[in-house]
Amino acid sequence: ADGELVQYHYGLKDLVTILFYIFIAIILHAVVQEYALDKINRRLHLSKVKHSKFNESGQLVAFHLTSVIWCLYVVVTEGYISNPRSLWENYPHVYLPYQVKFFYLCQLAYWLHALPELYFQKVRKEEIPRQLRCIALYLLHIAGAYLLNLTRLGLILLLLQYLAEFFFHMARLVYFTNENNEKLFNVWAVVFVVTRLFTLTLYILVIGFGLPRVESQALDPERGNFFSFLFNNILFRMSVLLLVCLFQASVMWRFIHFQLRRWREYWNEQSSRKRAAATGTKQQTKLLKRDSGYHENGVVKAENGTSPRTKKLKSP
């Protein structure tokens, strides 16, 4: 009411807050599992492997949908989308609005809670390395954006990443309920390519043009300025952009390789079905010919050599 705007900085007390919300995330995880996913699993009668993947995708669909809506609300209300220059203006962004700080703390709490969930959910040993790698990457990027005062850029990148992940896990859920329905995977493929292009464009915009124009170009860890003096060097800036482009290119290459393999398997399956249908049709025709006799010199004869025509008896 008095026009004062309260902003926040990160500190050691964040660890206590994150610990509290880790327990909240564990409780919400159990609620979604018991009241939604377990009931669906009982109806579908999935195998153990599909059961584990269904639970994983179900939990991530709920999380990604919530995060996308929440993150979109934050970036719209804070004006980061309507004013892209705000992503690098007045860097470093040491002081955060309440909703931005709270969003980052909840994100860190969720991905930290995923570590004990590997034990609670009895994840198979083959799946643990993949999930640990995914959790570590999310924690590294989210904590890096939070501690290095790149929270505005991190919000947009998380929004793009979570949007693509939501469609992927939603497609997996639909596929587990009906294996013939793969249309949502095509939607995910389009969303994935579009989000990769937006991510690459955003990196070039912020790193190549935004941060080098920051007024304060001196290294000042006390004020939270870690990067602007580095990006003022054109050689370092071009090296970072080259690494980003190479990483995005490797991601796209793996994605294209996966899609080509998936389409190849699909067309092989379709061709095998057509061959099976054609073979079945030929066998049916052979059986029909065998039942009705065979043709010899234009005359239909039965299998025992007798003519199928009925002979007329002469009257005595």
Side-chain angles (χ1 to χ4, degrees), residues 86-291:
S86 62
L87 297 178
W88 62 81
E89 282 183 341
N90 301 321
Y91 178 84
H93 308 130
V94 178
Y95 297 103
L96 309 175
Y98 169 76
Q99 59 179 355
V100 175
K101 180 181 176 66
F102 185 55
F103 177 81
Y104 270 94
L105 294 182
C106 289
Q107 291 295 314
L108 291 171
Y110 178 86
W111 289 110
L112 285 172
H113 111 280
L115 294 173
E117 285 294 342
L118 294 176
Y119 173 76
F120 296 148
Q121 293 293 321
K122 298 179 180 179
V123 178
R124 296 185 305 141
K125 292 182 179 180
E126 298 82 9
E127 293 290 325
I128 290 178
R130 178 186 62 83
Q131 295 199 22
L132 284 176
R133 185 167 59 251
C134 177
I135 294 168
L137 286 173
Y138 272 112
L139 287 173
L140 178 65
H141 286 80
I142 295 172
Y146 183 65
L147 297 174
L148 299 177
N149 303 314
L150 292 169
T151 50
R152 298 180 184 182
L153 177 62
L155 281 173
I156 306 297
L157 293 177
L158 277 178
L159 178 61
L160 295 172
Q161 176 67 19
Y162 284 165
L163 187 63
E165 289 291 315
F166 167 74
F167 279 100
F168 172 71
H169 290 288
M170 194 68 199
R172 282 219 305 182
L173 290 182
V174 174
Y175 175 76
F176 288 142
T177 55
N178 182 12
E179 293 187 357
N180 295 323
N181 191 351
E182 297 186 3
K183 294 181 180 179
L184 207 55
F185 278 110
N186 299 327
V187 178
W188 164 71
V190 175
V191 173
F192 181 85
V193 173
V194 172
T195 53
R196 291 303 101 191
L197 292 176
F198 271 103
T199 301
L200 184 59
T201 305
L202 195 61
Y203 272 120
I204 295 174
L205 182 65
V206 175
I207 296 175
F209 300 98
L211 289 177
R213 298 182 180 181
V214 174
E215 296 179 0
S216 177
Q217 295 291 345
L219 176 63
D220 191 358
E222 293 183 359
R223 289 188 56 209
N225 192 342
F226 299 102
F227 288 108
S228 57
F229 81 101
L230 292 173
F231 291 111
N232 194 30
N233 186 342
I234 187 171
L235 182 61
F236 179 81
R237 186 164 70 246
M238 296 305 295
S239 301
V240 172
L241 287 176
L242 180 62
L243 288 175
V244 169
C245 291
L246 289 176
F247 176 75
Q248 295 297 327
S250 67
V251 171
M252 285 300 301
W253 169 250
R254 283 182 291 176
F255 171 77
I256 293 171
H257 180 71
F258 167 75
Q259 290 295 327
L260 290 175
R261 185 181 63 186
R262 176 170 161 260
W263 289 336
R264 194 185 304 116
E265 292 175 353
Y266 173 77
W267 287 114
N268 289 337
E269 183 181 354
Q270 291 295 322
S271 60
S272 62
R273 286 181 179 178
K274 289 180 180 178
R275 284 196 300 268
T279 308
T281 309
K282 288 180 180 179
Q283 289 178 353
Q284 287 180 359
T285 29
K286 284 182 179 179
L287 289 174
L288 288 173
K289 286 182 178 180
R290 190 173 296 172
D291 291 340

Side-chain angles (χ1 to χ4, degrees), residues 11-150:
L12 292 176
K13 293 182 180 179
D14 290 344
L15 299 176
V16 182
T17 308
I18 291 172
L19 180 62
F20 172 76
Y21 284 102
I22 286 175
F23 293 116
I24 299 296
I26 291 174
I27 295 172
L28 293 176
H29 190 114
V31 169
V32 172
Q33 183 67 42
E34 182 173 354
Y35 292 97
L37 298 178
D38 285 346
K39 291 183 178 180
I40 299 174
N41 277 321
R42 293 192 195 100
R43 295 181 179 179
L44 296 177
H45 304 288
L46 299 174
S47 62
K48 290 184 178 180
V49 177
K50 290 184 177 180
H51 185 274
S52 176
K53 292 182 178 180
F54 185 88
N55 288 337
E56 178 190 357
S57 293
Q59 293 288 345
L60 289 175
V61 160
F63 169 71
H64 288 316
L65 179 61
T66 306
S67 297
V68 165
I69 296 173
W70 189 4
C71 189
L72 184 62
Y73 173 79
V74 171
V75 297
V76 169
T77 54
E78 294 296 331
Y80 299 152
I81 292 183
S82 59
N83 182 22
R85 296 173 62 90
S86 62
L87 297 178
W88 62 81
E89 282 183 341
N90 301 321
Y91 178 84
H93 308 130
V94 178
Y95 297 103
L96 309 175
Y98 169 76
Q99 59 179 355
V100 175
K101 180 181 176 66
F102 185 55
F103 177 81
Y104 270 94
L105 294 182
C106 289
Q107 291 295 314
L108 291 171
Y110 178 86
W111 289 110
L112 285 172
H113 111 280
L115 294 173
E117 285 294 342
L118 294 176
Y119 173 76
F120 296 148
Q121 293 293 321
K122 298 179 180 179
V123 178
R124 296 185 305 141
K125 292 182 179 180
E126 298 82 9
E127 293 290 325
I128 290 178
R130 178 186 62 83
Q131 295 199 22
L132 284 176
R133 185 167 59 251
C134 177
I135 294 168
L137 286 173
Y138 272 112
L139 287 173
L140 178 65
H141 286 80
I142 295 172
Y146 183 65
L147 297 174
L148 299 177
N149 303 314
L150 292 169

